[in-house]
Amino acid sequence: MIVSIEEHGAVVTLSLQEERLDAHNSNELKSQLLNLFEEGKNKIIIDLADVRFIDSSGLGALVSGFKNASSRDGSLKLCSLQTQVKSMFELTRLHRVFEIFPNPEEALASF
Amino acid sequence: MKNQLEMDIKVPNQTRYLGLIGKIGEDIAYTLKNYNNDRDELAYHINLVLTEAMANTIKHANSNDPCKDVHITINVSDENLCIKVYDQGQGFDISTTGTALPEPTDDHGRGIFLINTLMDSVTYKNCGNGNVLEMKKRLN
């Protein structure tokens, strides 16, 4: 999985440079997030601008990261969702779980 | 054959082929002649149900065995889409894997919910040496 990582103070932004987040690569995202948590980083933004397809495994990996961040008194927020990807969050009601922002700047300002 | 598409696909039981199968599903949505609703949405939905069904088969029914195959047939007419995904394993109970949406913070369990939500009829039954998941959707 190709991911670019940027740090702004205590906040880490992961930009997924993949078209699909599915059962093939969602475990890699989980591992990347676990590595960050183990380094004590628990304020995370995931930028999904390049992701045009997400399945239940991809949603599950994000939920897993959300729970891990919350249990460490941090948070995991999302930004830049494409229309069809956003509709998957609505269909599974996960838009009520995650804080979702239109762009990384607004997500960063929310911390 | 009158405006009927019939596809018969076999791929190794590996998740690296999910994108390929999903793309075929998307392309089908864009080749339909008389579809009047949102084509981008239909393309996503066909991609998604194929991805979910195949991932379920790879992991649960075919036990992640890379030597097994996943066999998929897709039949499309002007009125209907019918997708069948065949596995070579013990199968799973679709009634207990849940048609309800899992708790918001559960990591798993949304795949079958999504298939049931996006398709009009879903059945899973024994078939020869394995099982077949049949998913149908009206297109008009």
Side-chain angles (χ1 to χ4, degrees):
Chain A
M1 163 169 279
I2 306 169
V3 176
S4 74
I5 299 179
E6 270 184 58
E7 297 194 27
H8 301 271
V11 181
V12 180
T13 303
L14 258 78
S15 302
L16 306 192
Q17 288 161 1
E18 299 279 348
E19 273 203 8
R20 290 173 63 97
L21 179 56
D22 63 13
H24 184 56
N25 58 9
S26 58
N27 277 336
E28 286 178 60
L29 175 61
K30 272 190 188 177
S31 304
Q32 296 250 7
L33 288 169
L34 283 174
N35 289 341
L36 290 174
F37 296 135
E38 279 166 16
E39 290 169 20
K41 291 162 184 163
N42 57 21
K43 292 188 170 86
I44 315 275
I45 299 168
I46 298 190
D47 187 332
L48 294 170
D50 290 345
V51 176
R52 62 174 204 87
F53 178 87
I54 189 164
D55 73 352
S56 64
S57 301
L59 293 169
L62 295 172
V63 169
S64 161
F66 174 86
K67 286 194 295 187
N68 272 310
S70 302
S71 70
R72 290 166 166 83
D73 293 325
S75 54
L76 182 146
K77 307 185 185 195
L78 307 175
C79 70
S80 314
L81 275 61
Q82 295 192 23
T83 310
Q84 301 289 354
V85 169
K86 195 170 185 191
S87 74
M88 284 302 108
F89 282 81
E90 289 161 0
L91 195 59
T92 54
R93 319 251 163 83
L94 286 172
H95 63 303
R96 296 179 187 168
V97 173
F98 290 97
E99 283 186 72
I100 299 173
F101 295 89
N103 54 59
E105 293 76 24
E106 286 183 49
L108 187 59
S110 74
F111 278 97
Chain B
M1 198 156 52
K2 189 180 166 189
N3 277 343
Q4 179 97 19
L5 266 179
E6 294 184 14
M7 307 180 88
D8 194 307
I9 307 160
K10 236 178 219 179
V11 289
N13 191 57
Q14 298 167 29
T15 55
R16 63 189 301 264
Y17 297 102
L18 289 173
L20 170 68
I21 298 300
K23 181 74 169 57
I24 291 171
E26 281 196 337
D27 287 350
I28 286 171
Y30 292 111
T31 57
L32 294 174
K33 276 188 183 163
N34 301 312
Y35 189 72
N36 297 319
N37 297 317
D38 184 342
R39 241 170 234 273
D40 291 341
E41 186 180 77
L42 179 70
Y44 194 103
H45 290 174
I46 301 177
N47 185 347
L48 186 65
V49 297
L50 278 165
T51 299
E52 297 291 353
M54 191 172 151
N56 222 33
T57 297
I58 292 169
K59 285 186 183 170
H60 302 302
N62 284 351
S63 312
N64 275 320
D65 180 347
C67 298
K68 287 185 173 173
D69 290 322
V70 183
H71 179 200
I72 298 167
T73 65
I74 306 172
N75 281 272
V76 194
S77 67
D78 285 345
E79 295 87 25
N80 291 296
L81 166 71
C82 177
I83 298 169
K84 293 182 186 175
V85 180
Y86 298 81
D87 64 57
Q88 302 162 287
Q90 299 288 326
F92 52 91
D93 185 349
I94 197 167
S95 61
T96 58
T97 45
T99 52
L101 187 58
E103 287 299 307
T105 51
D106 280 355
D107 299 6
H108 298 284
R110 292 181 183 84
I112 299 293
F113 163 81
L114 287 169
I115 290 174
N116 275 305
T117 303
L118 300 176
M119 302 301 278
D120 294 317
S121 98
V122 181
T123 60
Y124 185 69
K125 53 195 172 198
N126 188 266
C127 152
N129 295 327
N131 307 276
V132 58
L133 175 68
E134 184 177 271
M135 307 177 284
K136 290 181 178 171
K137 188 177 181 66
R138 283 185 301 278
L139 295 174
N140 56 14

